[in-house]
Amino acid sequence: MNFSRPTLASRAVPAPSFGQSAASAPHSDTVAFQHPQPAAENRLEVRLSDERINNRVRELAGEINRTFTDSDPLVVLGVMKGALVFTSDLIKQLNMPCQLELVTLSSYGNGDTSSGRVNGSLDHLPDLSGRDVLIVEDILDTGHTLTHLTGALKDRYPEMNQLKTAVLLDKPERRETPFEADFTGFTVANEFLVGRGLDYQGLYRNLPDVAVLKGTTH
Ligand code: IMP
Ligand code: MG
């Protein structure tokens, strides 16, 4: 299969480019990821390396394993799309039986400023009464998404057992509504971040590092 991308000339942001297509590369378990060539108005600066994130995810999983000692199973509720990568990294390190569930919520439009509104449905979820639930989110920013989600889950399932939240990143300076996660990977500065599931206009989620996208307004 030829892995080609549309030309970038007409796009506002550069797309990540791969050094070689998976099909044409010599056999290898990985495909090299090259950071996009910076356009004049958009530059990537790595803030958290892939290795640093992997180490921290392992530590967080240890804390979570020590917290949910008798959940059978633990419901891991990943918030899509941003937390897809973190959720998948995290569940591999959890040592109790896990039931993976996903919700698709967004408080961001297609840009990089928060709308303050949270969209999404919980109708497809199984009954969470009596269950231990861990919400997994990519980043805690204004706090609207997790305030809305935890409130909506408690309203729907007043008999839920433990409800806790794990976030890869926390940007406390941006908070508009008070919220603290139970498990936090990294506290970060007020910069617009991409990579490790975080996107800008749908791109950069596959970058293994967390990086700052310079040139966006936030
Ligand atoms: P909150 O509702 O403002 O806390 O926003 C949470 C959501 O906003 C996250 O799940 C992300 O999808 C998005 N978000 C917040 N900050 C960033 C960022 O720096 N880069 C990319 N997405 C972000
Ligand atoms: Mg998100």
Side-chain angles (χ1 to χ4, degrees):
M1 190 180 72
N2 187 17
F3 191 98
S4 64
R5 290 181 180 272
T7 57
L8 300 176
S10 60
R11 302 177 70 159
V13 293
S17 60
F18 290 83
Q20 290 174 302
S21 76
S24 66
H27 178 73
S28 131
D29 289 333
T30 57
V31 176
F33 194 110
Q34 292 181 343
H35 290 184
Q37 293 304 308
E41 70 282 13
N42 281 310
R43 291 191 324 274
L44 283 176
E45 287 178 15
V46 173
R47 288 288 185 264
L48 300 166
S49 69
D50 180 31
E51 187 185 3
R52 215 175 141 195
I53 299 167
N54 290 340
N55 291 338
R56 184 69 186 125
V57 169
R58 217 168 290 126
E59 289 174 358
L60 279 184
E63 289 176 37
I64 294 166
N65 285 333
R66 287 189 290 278
T67 301
F68 294 100
T69 45
D70 53 8
S71 305
D72 191 12
L74 173 67
V75 178
V76 177
L77 183 59
V79 183
M80 298 296 104
K81 299 175 188 170
L84 186 147
V85 180
F86 177 41
T87 306
S88 131
D89 289 342
L90 190 64
I91 53 172
K92 288 181 284 187
Q93 314 277 339
L94 298 182
N95 59 18
M96 73 291 281
C98 287
Q99 178 181 339
L100 178 62
E101 299 291 341
L102 305 173
V103 284
T104 300
L105 296 183
S106 59
S107 67
Y108 269 40
N110 200 26
D112 58 356
T113 46
S114 176
S115 66
R117 286 194 315 273
V118 179
N119 305 310
S121 168
L122 305 178
D123 291 345
H124 61 287
L125 290 178
D127 184 6
L128 299 179
S129 306
R131 310 293 301 275
D132 286 342
V133 178
L134 177 69
I135 296 173
V136 181
E137 174 62 311
D138 53 356
I139 184 166
L140 175 53
D141 188 47
T142 63
H144 292 302
T145 303
L146 286 177
T147 301
H148 172 89
L149 179 58
T150 53
L153 287 172
K154 285 177 187 166
D155 282 351
R156 253 178 199 244
Y157 309 108
E159 308 287 301
M160 204 167 29
N161 199 28
Q162 295 192 76
L163 176 64
K164 296 204 180 283
T165 51
V167 300
L168 179 62
L169 307 172
D170 182 7
K171 225 191 263 184
E173 278 178 57
R174 292 258 310 156
R175 207 75 89 246
E176 291 175 7
T177 180
F179 194 96
E180 273 191 50
D182 299 288
F183 308 96
T184 299
F186 300 92
T187 300
V188 293
N190 184 8
E191 302 178 296
F192 192 78
L193 300 167
V194 295
R196 208 72 181 208
L198 293 157
D199 75 305
Y200 177 63
Q201 297 190 348
L203 299 177
Y204 303 105
R205 293 192 198 275
N206 54 328
L207 187 69
D209 312 308
V210 166
V212 173
L213 187 59
K214 297 279 185 178
T216 52
T217 53
H218 189 45

